[in-house]
Amino acid sequence: MHRLFRIIFALAVVWALPLSLASAQERGLTVFAAASMKNALDDVNAAYTAKTGAKVIASYAASSVLAKQIDQGAPADIFLSADIDWMDYATKQKTIKADTRMNLLGNSIVLIAPKDSKIDKVTIAQGFDLAKLAGTGRIATGDVSSVPVGKYAKAALEKLGAWDAAARKFAMAESVRAALTLVARGEAVLGIVYATDAKVEPEVKIVGTFPADSHPPIIYTVAATTSAGSGATDYLAFLHTQAAKAIFEKYGFTFLVRPSS
């Protein structure tokens, strides 16, 4: 009787194992990523799934929102932030594994206008008058108090001496993609977004590029969360690869790590 029980128990374990693995694979890997990464990361995730068979679920929003959601217990395996500050926040809150953290990508910020705007070829330098350029219209960017693109924009405008006059004209959006949409729809006459965002939106045009030394370096940083599943290590390794590099660079990002094969 005892022998029969042991056989039944062993069979139950064997049967349960593939079900457990299948369940884990079905659940997939959850990636919380900055909104500006959507187009490129969707392609990277598709390439990763094609190579490994592992499902990737991506959630996109402002880095500030995602960092706070993870802190509140949201089930993410990977966090991709558009700036160092919000990854520092996650590190301080002990919601990411610090030894997995790496600076992955670089970007730039640009001034955009609707594609049919008469505004064109703006020289962005010390003393340029953004307020006058906007006229009676609004300028869209991310919330300058929390959204990375907005923080970069404000820092640049302060250094160039254009912030005080233009501040009241800003329409603060919840993410860079929301700001991009305001300009694309003509609801804002100008916007400050990442160069990579402008590249994927046909309804806007770049009218000027902010000097790299006018704001802190734009660095996208990535890490596994403290609640990450076993697949997080393989996913982070894939982000290092030449295949991932080619995709990110196609969308205009600068690849900051030495690619693996």
Side-chain angles (χ1 to χ4, degrees):
M1 187 70 173
H2 290 296
R3 183 171 178 273
L4 179 61
F5 176 78
R6 287 196 298 271
I7 292 171
I8 293 173
F9 179 77
L11 288 172
V13 170
V14 170
W15 290 334
L17 184 59
L19 290 174
S20 176
L21 291 173
S23 177
Q25 188 172 25
E26 179 64 27
R27 182 182 68 83
L29 193 74
T30 301
V31 178
F32 277 21
S36 54
M37 300 189 71
K38 178 172 172 45
N39 299 73
L41 196 64
D42 280 350
D43 283 3
V44 168
N45 290 342
Y48 178 74
T49 298
K51 180 179 179 180
T52 67
K55 181 180 177 182
V56 181
I57 302 165
S59 179
Y60 299 103
S63 301
S64 52
V65 171
L66 298 173
K68 291 176 182 178
Q69 287 179 346
I70 293 170
D71 189 32
Q72 292 164 4
D77 298 292
I78 301 290
F79 177 40
L80 268 157
S81 174
D83 74 355
I84 289 175
D85 290 347
W86 285 109
M87 190 60 80
D88 286 345
Y89 170 86
T91 301
K92 183 178 179 181
Q93 299 302 111
K94 298 182 179 180
T95 55
I96 59 111
K97 298 176 181 177
D99 61 344
T100 67
R101 176 176 172 171
M102 65 174 174
N103 293 339
L104 181 67
L105 303 170
N107 211 335
S108 58
I109 53 172
V110 296
L111 187 66
I112 60 170
K115 69 175 183 180
D116 58 355
S117 172
K118 294 180 180 179
I119 300 172
D120 199 20
K121 296 182 180 178
V122 177
T123 299
I124 300 177
Q126 192 66 39
F128 95 109
D129 196 340
L130 180 60
K132 182 179 180 180
L133 191 65
T136 59
R138 305 290 282 172
I139 307 163
T141 195
D143 189 327
V144 299
S145 66
S146 58
V147 179
V149 73
K151 292 161 62 180
Y152 293 127
K154 183 180 179 182
L157 294 172
E158 285 180 332
K159 186 166 184 179
L160 297 172
W163 173 253
D164 289 343
R168 61 185 177 82
K169 295 180 181 288
F170 271 86
M172 306 296 182
E174 63 184 10
S175 72
V176 67
R177 287 301 173 94
L180 183 69
T181 299
L182 289 175
V183 181
R185 291 177 178 173
E187 295 172 26
V189 297
L190 293 168
I192 301 174
V193 299
Y194 299 115
T196 52
D197 292 296
K199 187 173 181 178
V200 298
E201 176 50 73
E203 296 302 314
V204 307
K205 62 180 179 179
I206 295 174
V207 298
T209 299
F210 285 83
D213 62 359
S214 67
H215 54 78
I218 298 172
I219 297 174
Y220 289 68
T221 181
V222 61
T225 67
T226 52
S227 60
S230 57
T233 300
D234 287 342
Y235 182 81
L236 288 175
F238 185 76
L239 294 181
H240 280 87
T241 63
Q242 188 66 44
K245 178 179 184 290
I247 294 170
F248 284 125
E249 290 183 340
K250 181 182 77 171
Y251 283 93
F253 289 97
T254 303
F255 204 65
L256 301 181
V257 296
R258 179 177 294 179
S260 57
S261 57

